[in-house]
Amino acid sequence: QKEVEQDPGPLSVPEGAIVSLNCTYSNSAFQYFMWYRQYSRKGPELLMYTYSSGNKEDGRFTAQVDKSSKYISLFIRDSQPSDSATYLCATLYSGNTGKLIFGQGTTLQVKP
Amino acid sequence: GAGVSQSPSNKVTEKGKDVELRCDPISGHTALYWYRQSLGQGLEFLIYFQGNSAPDKSGLPSDRFSAERTGGSVSTLTIQRTQQEDSAVYLCASSRGTDTQYFGPGTRLTVL
């Protein structure tokens, strides 16, 4: 079993839709969670960062962590064609190193 | 300012040959990471350098893989006797300590 599981999709939605992207993780010790966005032929870029449980909002993006079910989510409101990319969830392996464990990534296409 | 740069952007090699991949981190970043991204496996941690400390090599898949970081800056990832399963995108990232990791565009390696 992978430490972080993510449905690779692909996911296709019409412009303006609400998108929900999800990951599960296996180790209850994980506390730091990130969402990265990766455009084709580019490196991943950090989108959202959360610590422990709860929600964090940034514009059209909301990151949610539910530690009781080991479930992390990213919601995109009013999705735009420019949101078309691969979204990777990640967790920090431990606080002492920067080693990240990634999910497989979900490919999202927002159709105009 | 300049981001993380990697060279070459693409590398095609024959099975059994050695390859060297280069990473130039963001100036002043003390931490440097190598990851590998392949279809079906997602993004996997390979190795982590932090300042003058011994590197964390726990993600290197075999002894054919090695990396060094000279002068606390540029890093080279070397793959000896390449195999077809080594074909992937090799991503480098750098950070200040364990803060946000900034990724380069990657080197796409194809082993024929």
Side-chain angles (χ1 to χ4, degrees):
Chain A
Q1 181 192 6
K2 286 182 175 289
E3 291 181 283
V4 179
E5 299 268 9
Q6 184 176 8
D7 185 342
L11 183 61
S12 182
V13 301
E15 183 175 353
I18 296 174
V19 177
S20 172
L21 304 168
N22 308 292
C23 293
T24 58
Y25 61 94
S26 59
N27 190 334
S28 58
F30 294 151
Q31 295 202 70
Y32 297 88
F33 304 94
M34 300 97 184
W35 283 95
Y36 279 80
R37 179 174 61 194
Q38 185 176 25
Y39 290 113
S40 181
R41 302 274 174 166
K42 303 284 188 184
E45 57 178 341
L46 183 66
L47 196 58
M48 301 281 287
Y49 176 104
T50 55
Y51 171 71
S52 194
S53 280
N55 292 0
K56 186 173 184 179
E57 191 172 319
D58 184 2
R60 296 184 295 109
F61 299 87
T62 300
Q64 193 172 77
V65 177
D66 181 347
K67 292 203 76 180
S68 63
S69 57
K70 301 192 188 72
Y71 201 81
I72 54 178
S73 302
L74 178 71
F75 299 97
I76 307 174
R77 290 184 299 281
D78 188 25
S79 56
Q80 303 295 309
S82 58
D83 296 328
S84 298
T86 296
Y87 290 80
L88 299 130
C89 59
T91 185
L92 191 62
Y93 185 74
S94 78
N96 295 325
T97 79
K99 174 182 171 182
L100 294 176
I101 301 171
F102 284 87
Q104 276 190 282
T106 300
T107 300
L108 171 68
Q109 183 181 27
V110 181
K111 294 184 175 180
Chain B
V4 177
S5 60
Q6 293 186 245
S7 60
S9 54
N10 285 283
K11 176 73 177 178
V12 180
T13 190
E14 293 179 349
K15 178 181 172 181
K17 301 281 190 184
D18 297 353
V19 295
E20 285 190 352
L21 313 179
R22 178 186 168 106
C23 172
D24 283 86
I26 293 172
S27 177
H29 280 190
T30 56
L32 187 147
Y33 311 80
W34 284 97
Y35 294 88
R36 177 170 71 174
Q37 188 171 31
S38 54
L39 286 173
Q41 294 297 318
L43 223 158
E44 303 171 288
F45 166 81
L46 296 177
I47 188 169
Y48 160 58
F49 297 90
Q50 171 61 281
N52 295 321
S53 302
D56 176 352
K57 304 179 182 180
S58 60
L60 295 179
S62 78
D63 58 9
R64 296 186 295 105
F65 288 72
S66 64
E68 63 177 23
R69 188 178 184 191
T70 53
S73 182
V74 172
S75 177
T76 302
L77 177 69
T78 301
I79 309 173
Q80 296 178 308
R81 305 181 301 282
T82 52
Q83 304 294 311
Q84 288 183 331
E85 62 262 28
D86 299 334
S87 295
V89 177
Y90 289 83
L91 290 158
C92 175
S94 71
S95 67
R96 292 186 190 279
T98 56
D99 284 348
T100 301
Q101 294 181 30
Y102 294 87
F103 283 81
T107 293
R108 185 172 298 271
L109 175 66
T110 303
V111 182
L112 301 176

